[in-house]
Amino acid sequence: MKVEARLFDVITVFFFLAAIIYGLWAKEVVGIVGLILTGGLSLLVASYFHFVARRTAGRAEDNPDAEIADGAGELGFFSPGSYWPVGVAAAAALAALAMAFWQVWLLVIAVVCLLLTVGGLVFEYHTRPNATD
């Protein structure tokens, strides 16, 4: 995570410097505020990556002398065939459509559909604990 943290550190410095230069050059308030807020958001991400990097073991990406084989191995579990993401996308599209036309009844339906599909996605591989009788 150190590589990502450094990357966002550079982005944060760039946006704050761009805000200063833009403020001196253009004297326009909205652009300055936008650049400062963008720098603040990238600072939040950089802080998170620094926080996580201190608490996790070093990865192959963080070692400049690492070989490609050092990064081999299992990366995690990825569902081979799940239709829940399609349902989440459809419910989110329905919610966006409801907000675009401000149809509150459709927004309520979309939020319920969104909650159901996200719940299905999260608990897709959940198994209940064994009952001991």
Side-chain angles (χ1 to χ4, degrees), residues 22-67:
Y22 188 82
L24 295 173
W25 182 42
K27 296 189 181 8
E28 190 259 326
V29 180
V30 176
I32 299 168
V33 171
L35 286 169
I36 290 172
L37 289 175
T38 305
L41 287 174
S42 64
L43 179 65
L44 283 174
V45 175
S47 301
Y48 171 75
F49 281 140
H50 281 293
F51 179 77
V52 170
R54 279 186 279 150
R55 286 167 175 70
T56 58
R59 301 179 306 162
E61 292 88 351
D62 296 332
N63 183 4
D65 298 325
E67 298 289 329

Short mmCIF file of all heavy atoms in Angstrom, two decimals, residues 22-67:
data_model
loop_
_atom_site.label_atom_id
_atom_site.label_comp_id
_atom_site.label_asym_id
_atom_site.label_seq_id
_atom_site.Cartn_x
_atom_site.Cartn_y
_atom_site.Cartn_z
N TYR A 22 -3.63 28.73 -9.52
CA TYR A 22 -4.88 29.15 -10.13
C TYR A 22 -5.46 30.35 -9.40
O TYR A 22 -6.02 31.25 -10.02
CB TYR A 22 -5.88 27.99 -10.12
CG TYR A 22 -7.13 28.26 -10.89
CD1 TYR A 22 -7.17 28.10 -12.26
CD2 TYR A 22 -8.30 28.66 -10.25
CE1 TYR A 22 -8.31 28.35 -12.98
CE2 TYR A 22 -9.45 28.91 -10.95
CZ TYR A 22 -9.45 28.75 -12.33
OH TYR A 22 -10.60 29.00 -13.03
N GLY A 23 -5.33 30.36 -8.07
CA GLY A 23 -5.84 31.49 -7.29
C GLY A 23 -5.09 32.78 -7.59
O GLY A 23 -5.68 33.85 -7.64
N LEU A 24 -3.78 32.68 -7.79
CA LEU A 24 -2.99 33.87 -8.11
C LEU A 24 -3.21 34.34 -9.55
O LEU A 24 -3.16 35.54 -9.83
CB LEU A 24 -1.50 33.59 -7.89
CG LEU A 24 -1.09 33.31 -6.44
CD1 LEU A 24 0.36 32.88 -6.38
CD2 LEU A 24 -1.34 34.53 -5.58
N TRP A 25 -3.47 33.40 -10.43
CA TRP A 25 -3.56 33.72 -11.85
C TRP A 25 -4.98 34.11 -12.28
O TRP A 25 -5.18 35.14 -12.90
CB TRP A 25 -3.08 32.51 -12.65
CG TRP A 25 -3.06 32.70 -14.13
CD1 TRP A 25 -2.65 33.80 -14.81
CD2 TRP A 25 -3.48 31.78 -15.10
NE1 TRP A 25 -2.77 33.60 -16.14
CE2 TRP A 25 -3.28 32.35 -16.36
CE3 TRP A 25 -3.98 30.49 -15.04
CZ2 TRP A 25 -3.58 31.70 -17.54
CZ3 TRP A 25 -4.27 29.84 -16.21
CH2 TRP A 25 -4.07 30.44 -17.44
N ALA A 26 -5.96 33.32 -11.90
CA ALA A 26 -7.31 33.53 -12.42
C ALA A 26 -8.19 34.38 -11.51
O ALA A 26 -9.11 35.03 -11.98
CB ALA A 26 -7.98 32.18 -12.67
N LYS A 27 -7.97 34.33 -10.22
CA LYS A 27 -8.77 35.05 -9.23
C LYS A 27 -10.27 34.74 -9.39
O LYS A 27 -11.12 35.62 -9.33
CB LYS A 27 -8.52 36.55 -9.35
CG LYS A 27 -7.10 36.92 -9.03
CD LYS A 27 -6.95 38.40 -8.95
CE LYS A 27 -5.58 38.90 -8.66
NZ LYS A 27 -4.47 38.05 -8.62
N GLU A 28 -10.55 33.47 -9.60
CA GLU A 28 -11.92 33.01 -9.74
C GLU A 28 -12.18 32.00 -8.64
O GLU A 28 -11.41 31.06 -8.44
CB GLU A 28 -12.07 32.37 -11.13
CG GLU A 28 -13.48 32.07 -11.52
CD GLU A 28 -13.78 30.61 -11.34
OE1 GLU A 28 -12.92 29.77 -11.52
OE2 GLU A 28 -14.92 30.32 -10.96
N VAL A 29 -13.24 32.21 -7.89
CA VAL A 29 -13.44 31.50 -6.63
C VAL A 29 -13.84 30.04 -6.83
O VAL A 29 -13.36 29.16 -6.12
CB VAL A 29 -14.50 32.23 -5.78
CG1 VAL A 29 -14.73 31.53 -4.46
CG2 VAL A 29 -14.10 33.66 -5.56
N VAL A 30 -14.70 29.76 -7.79
CA VAL A 30 -15.23 28.41 -7.93
C VAL A 30 -14.14 27.41 -8.30
O VAL A 30 -14.08 26.30 -7.77
CB VAL A 30 -16.37 28.39 -8.99
CG1 VAL A 30 -16.88 26.98 -9.22
CG2 VAL A 30 -17.50 29.29 -8.54
N GLY A 31 -13.23 27.77 -9.19
CA GLY A 31 -12.14 26.88 -9.56
C GLY A 31 -11.20 26.62 -8.40
O GLY A 31 -10.71 25.50 -8.23
N ILE A 32 -10.94 27.65 -7.60
CA ILE A 32 -10.07 27.49 -6.44
C ILE A 32 -10.70 26.52 -5.44
O ILE A 32 -10.03 25.61 -4.94
CB ILE A 32 -9.81 28.86 -5.76
CG1 ILE A 32 -9.10 29.80 -6.73
CG2 ILE A 32 -9.00 28.69 -4.49
CD1 ILE A 32 -9.07 31.23 -6.26
N VAL A 33 -11.98 26.71 -5.17
CA VAL A 33 -12.67 25.83 -4.23
C VAL A 33 -12.68 24.39 -4.75
O VAL A 33 -12.44 23.44 -3.99
CB VAL A 33 -14.10 26.34 -3.97
CG1 VAL A 33 -14.91 25.33 -3.18
CG2 VAL A 33 -14.07 27.66 -3.25
N GLY A 34 -12.92 24.22 -6.05
CA GLY A 34 -12.92 22.88 -6.63
C GLY A 34 -11.57 22.21 -6.51
O GLY A 34 -11.48 21.02 -6.18
N LEU A 35 -10.49 22.94 -6.77
CA LEU A 35 -9.15 22.36 -6.66
C LEU A 35 -8.79 22.05 -5.21
O LEU A 35 -8.16 21.03 -4.93
CB LEU A 35 -8.12 23.30 -7.29
CG LEU A 35 -8.13 23.34 -8.81
CD1 LEU A 35 -7.26 24.48 -9.32
CD2 LEU A 35 -7.66 22.02 -9.38
N ILE A 36 -9.18 22.91 -4.29
CA ILE A 36 -8.90 22.65 -2.88
C ILE A 36 -9.68 21.43 -2.39
O ILE A 36 -9.14 20.58 -1.68
CB ILE A 36 -9.21 23.90 -2.02
CG1 ILE A 36 -8.19 24.99 -2.31
CG2 ILE A 36 -9.25 23.56 -0.54
CD1 ILE A 36 -8.51 26.32 -1.66
N LEU A 37 -10.96 21.32 -2.79
CA LEU A 37 -11.74 20.16 -2.39
C LEU A 37 -11.21 18.87 -3.01
O LEU A 37 -11.18 17.82 -2.36
CB LEU A 37 -13.21 20.36 -2.75
CG LEU A 37 -13.96 21.40 -1.93
CD1 LEU A 37 -15.37 21.59 -2.46
CD2 LEU A 37 -13.99 21.02 -0.47
N THR A 38 -10.75 18.94 -4.26
CA THR A 38 -10.15 17.77 -4.89
C THR A 38 -8.87 17.37 -4.17
O THR A 38 -8.62 16.17 -3.95
CB THR A 38 -9.88 18.05 -6.38
OG1 THR A 38 -11.09 18.47 -7.00
CG2 THR A 38 -9.34 16.82 -7.08
N GLY A 39 -8.06 18.35 -3.80
CA GLY A 39 -6.86 18.05 -3.01
C GLY A 39 -7.19 17.45 -1.66
O GLY A 39 -6.51 16.54 -1.19
N GLY A 40 -8.26 17.95 -1.05
CA GLY A 40 -8.68 17.38 0.24
C GLY A 40 -9.17 15.95 0.12
O GLY A 40 -8.86 15.11 0.97
N LEU A 41 -9.90 15.65 -0.95
CA LEU A 41 -10.35 14.27 -1.15
C LEU A 41 -9.18 13.34 -1.42
O LEU A 41 -9.14 12.22 -0.90
CB LEU A 41 -11.35 14.22 -2.31
CG LEU A 41 -12.73 14.80 -2.01
CD1 LEU A 41 -13.57 14.82 -3.27
CD2 LEU A 41 -13.42 14.03 -0.91
N SER A 42 -8.21 13.79 -2.21
CA SER A 42 -7.05 12.93 -2.44
C SER A 42 -6.21 12.80 -1.17
O SER A 42 -5.56 11.77 -0.95
CB SER A 42 -6.22 13.45 -3.61
OG SER A 42 -5.68 14.71 -3.32
N LEU A 43 -6.23 13.81 -0.32
CA LEU A 43 -5.55 13.71 0.97
C LEU A 43 -6.22 12.66 1.85
O LEU A 43 -5.54 11.91 2.58
CB LEU A 43 -5.54 15.07 1.67
CG LEU A 43 -4.88 15.12 3.04
CD1 LEU A 43 -3.39 14.82 2.92
CD2 LEU A 43 -5.09 16.48 3.67
N LEU A 44 -7.55 12.58 1.80
CA LEU A 44 -8.26 11.54 2.56
C LEU A 44 -7.85 10.14 2.09
O LEU A 44 -7.60 9.25 2.91
CB LEU A 44 -9.77 11.71 2.39
CG LEU A 44 -10.44 12.81 3.18
CD1 LEU A 44 -11.89 12.93 2.78
CD2 LEU A 44 -10.33 12.55 4.65
N VAL A 45 -7.79 9.95 0.78
CA VAL A 45 -7.41 8.64 0.24
C VAL A 45 -5.96 8.32 0.61
O VAL A 45 -5.64 7.19 1.01
CB VAL A 45 -7.64 8.59 -1.28
CG1 VAL A 45 -7.14 7.29 -1.86
CG2 VAL A 45 -9.10 8.80 -1.60
N ALA A 46 -5.07 9.31 0.49
CA ALA A 46 -3.66 9.10 0.85
C ALA A 46 -3.53 8.75 2.33
O ALA A 46 -2.75 7.86 2.69
CB ALA A 46 -2.84 10.34 0.52
N SER A 47 -4.28 9.44 3.18
CA SER A 47 -4.22 9.13 4.61
C SER A 47 -4.70 7.72 4.89
O SER A 47 -4.12 7.01 5.73
CB SER A 47 -5.09 10.13 5.39
OG SER A 47 -4.64 11.43 5.18
N TYR A 48 -5.75 7.30 4.20
CA TYR A 48 -6.24 5.93 4.38
C TYR A 48 -5.18 4.92 3.96
O TYR A 48 -4.94 3.93 4.66
CB TYR A 48 -7.53 5.72 3.59
CG TYR A 48 -7.97 4.29 3.55
CD1 TYR A 48 -8.55 3.70 4.67
CD2 TYR A 48 -7.78 3.50 2.42
CE1 TYR A 48 -8.94 2.38 4.66
CE2 TYR A 48 -8.16 2.18 2.40
CZ TYR A 48 -8.74 1.62 3.52
OH TYR A 48 -9.11 0.31 3.50
N PHE A 49 -4.54 5.14 2.82
CA PHE A 49 -3.52 4.21 2.37
C PHE A 49 -2.32 4.18 3.31
O PHE A 49 -1.73 3.13 3.55
CB PHE A 49 -3.08 4.53 0.94
CG PHE A 49 -4.03 4.03 -0.10
CD1 PHE A 49 -4.32 4.79 -1.21
CD2 PHE A 49 -4.61 2.79 0.01
CE1 PHE A 49 -5.20 4.34 -2.18
CE2 PHE A 49 -5.48 2.31 -0.96
CZ PHE A 49 -5.78 3.09 -2.06
N HIS A 50 -1.93 5.33 3.87
CA HIS A 50 -0.85 5.34 4.86
C HIS A 50 -1.26 4.56 6.11
O HIS A 50 -0.46 3.82 6.69
CB HIS A 50 -0.48 6.78 5.25
CG HIS A 50 0.39 7.47 4.27
ND1 HIS A 50 1.69 7.09 4.01
CD2 HIS A 50 0.15 8.53 3.45
CE1 HIS A 50 2.21 7.89 3.10
NE2 HIS A 50 1.29 8.76 2.74
N PHE A 51 -2.51 4.74 6.52
CA PHE A 51 -3.03 4.05 7.69
C PHE A 51 -3.01 2.53 7.49
O PHE A 51 -2.60 1.77 8.36
CB PHE A 51 -4.46 4.54 7.96
CG PHE A 51 -5.13 3.91 9.14
CD1 PHE A 51 -4.81 4.28 10.43
CD2 PHE A 51 -6.10 2.93 8.95
CE1 PHE A 51 -5.44 3.68 11.51
CE2 PHE A 51 -6.73 2.33 10.02
CZ PHE A 51 -6.39 2.71 11.30
N VAL A 52 -3.45 2.08 6.32
CA VAL A 52 -3.50 0.65 6.03
C VAL A 52 -2.09 0.09 5.84
O VAL A 52 -1.79 -1.03 6.26
CB VAL A 52 -4.39 0.39 4.79
CG1 VAL A 52 -4.27 -1.04 4.32
CG2 VAL A 52 -5.82 0.73 5.09
N ALA A 53 -1.20 0.87 5.23
CA ALA A 53 0.16 0.39 4.96
C ALA A 53 0.93 0.11 6.24
O ALA A 53 1.77 -0.79 6.28
CB ALA A 53 0.91 1.41 4.11
N ARG A 54 0.64 0.86 7.30
CA ARG A 54 1.32 0.63 8.56
C ARG A 54 0.86 -0.64 9.25
O ARG A 54 1.58 -1.21 10.07
CB ARG A 54 1.09 1.81 9.51
CG ARG A 54 2.00 2.97 9.21
CD ARG A 54 1.85 4.05 10.24
NE ARG A 54 0.66 4.83 9.86
CZ ARG A 54 -0.13 5.45 10.71
NH1 ARG A 54 0.11 5.41 11.99
NH2 ARG A 54 -1.17 6.12 10.28
N ARG A 55 -0.35 -1.09 8.94
CA ARG A 55 -0.92 -2.23 9.65
C ARG A 55 -0.91 -3.53 8.86
O ARG A 55 -1.35 -4.55 9.39
CB ARG A 55 -2.35 -1.88 10.05
CG ARG A 55 -2.34 -0.90 11.20
CD ARG A 55 -3.68 -0.28 11.44
NE ARG A 55 -3.70 0.56 12.61
CZ ARG A 55 -3.09 1.72 12.72
NH1 ARG A 55 -2.39 2.19 11.73
NH2 ARG A 55 -3.17 2.44 13.82
N THR A 56 -0.47 -3.50 7.63
CA THR A 56 -0.44 -4.73 6.84
C THR A 56 1.00 -5.13 6.54
O THR A 56 1.91 -4.31 6.58
CB THR A 56 -1.19 -4.55 5.50
OG1 THR A 56 -0.60 -3.47 4.78
CG2 THR A 56 -2.65 -4.27 5.72
N ALA A 57 1.14 -6.39 6.23
CA ALA A 57 2.47 -6.89 5.87
C ALA A 57 2.87 -6.35 4.50
O ALA A 57 2.01 -5.99 3.69
CB ALA A 57 2.45 -8.41 5.84
N GLY A 58 4.17 -6.26 4.26
CA GLY A 58 4.65 -5.73 3.00
C GLY A 58 4.24 -6.61 1.83
O GLY A 58 4.22 -7.84 1.92
N ARG A 59 3.90 -5.98 0.73
CA ARG A 59 3.52 -6.71 -0.47
C ARG A 59 4.69 -6.68 -1.45
O ARG A 59 5.64 -5.92 -1.30
CB ARG A 59 2.31 -6.06 -1.13
CG ARG A 59 1.10 -6.00 -0.23
CD ARG A 59 -0.06 -5.34 -0.92
NE ARG A 59 0.35 -4.03 -1.44
CZ ARG A 59 -0.31 -3.36 -2.36
NH1 ARG A 59 -1.38 -3.87 -2.89
NH2 ARG A 59 0.11 -2.19 -2.78
N ALA A 60 4.60 -7.49 -2.48
CA ALA A 60 5.65 -7.51 -3.49
C ALA A 60 5.73 -6.17 -4.23
O ALA A 60 6.80 -5.75 -4.66
CB ALA A 60 5.39 -8.63 -4.49
N GLU A 61 4.61 -5.48 -4.35
CA GLU A 61 4.59 -4.18 -5.03
C GLU A 61 5.36 -3.11 -4.26
O GLU A 61 5.80 -2.12 -4.83
CB GLU A 61 3.15 -3.70 -5.23
CG GLU A 61 2.36 -4.53 -6.22
CD GLU A 61 1.67 -5.70 -5.56
OE1 GLU A 61 1.93 -5.98 -4.37
OE2 GLU A 61 0.88 -6.36 -6.25
N ASP A 62 5.50 -3.31 -2.95
CA ASP A 62 6.20 -2.33 -2.12
C ASP A 62 7.71 -2.56 -2.08
O ASP A 62 8.43 -1.72 -1.57
CB ASP A 62 5.64 -2.38 -0.69
CG ASP A 62 4.18 -1.97 -0.64
OD1 ASP A 62 3.77 -1.17 -1.50
OD2 ASP A 62 3.46 -2.44 0.26
N ASN A 63 8.18 -3.70 -2.56
CA ASN A 63 9.60 -4.02 -2.54
C ASN A 63 10.21 -3.71 -3.91
O ASN A 63 9.84 -4.33 -4.91
CB ASN A 63 9.79 -5.51 -2.21
CG ASN A 63 11.23 -5.90 -2.09
OD1 ASN A 63 12.13 -5.05 -2.18
ND2 ASN A 63 11.47 -7.18 -1.89
N PRO A 64 11.14 -2.77 -4.00
CA PRO A 64 11.71 -2.44 -5.31
C PRO A 64 12.57 -3.55 -5.90
O PRO A 64 12.80 -3.59 -7.11
CB PRO A 64 12.56 -1.19 -5.04
CG PRO A 64 12.74 -1.12 -3.58
CD PRO A 64 11.64 -1.89 -2.94
N ASP A 65 13.04 -4.49 -5.08
CA ASP A 65 13.86 -5.60 -5.57
C ASP A 65 13.06 -6.87 -5.79
O ASP A 65 13.64 -7.94 -5.98
CB ASP A 65 14.99 -5.89 -4.57
CG ASP A 65 15.91 -4.69 -4.41
OD1 ASP A 65 16.12 -3.99 -5.42
OD2 ASP A 65 16.39 -4.46 -3.28
N ALA A 66 11.74 -6.79 -5.78
CA ALA A 66 10.90 -7.98 -5.90
C ALA A 66 10.90 -8.52 -7.33
O ALA A 66 11.05 -7.77 -8.29
CB ALA A 66 9.48 -7.66 -5.47
N GLU A 67 10.73 -9.82 -7.41
CA GLU A 67 10.59 -10.49 -8.70
C GLU A 67 9.11 -10.67 -8.99
O GLU A 67 8.26 -10.53 -8.10
CB GLU A 67 11.27 -11.87 -8.64
CG GLU A 67 12.75 -11.82 -8.39
CD GLU A 67 13.51 -11.29 -9.60
OE1 GLU A 67 13.06 -11.50 -10.74
OE2 GLU A 67 14.55 -10.64 -9.38
#
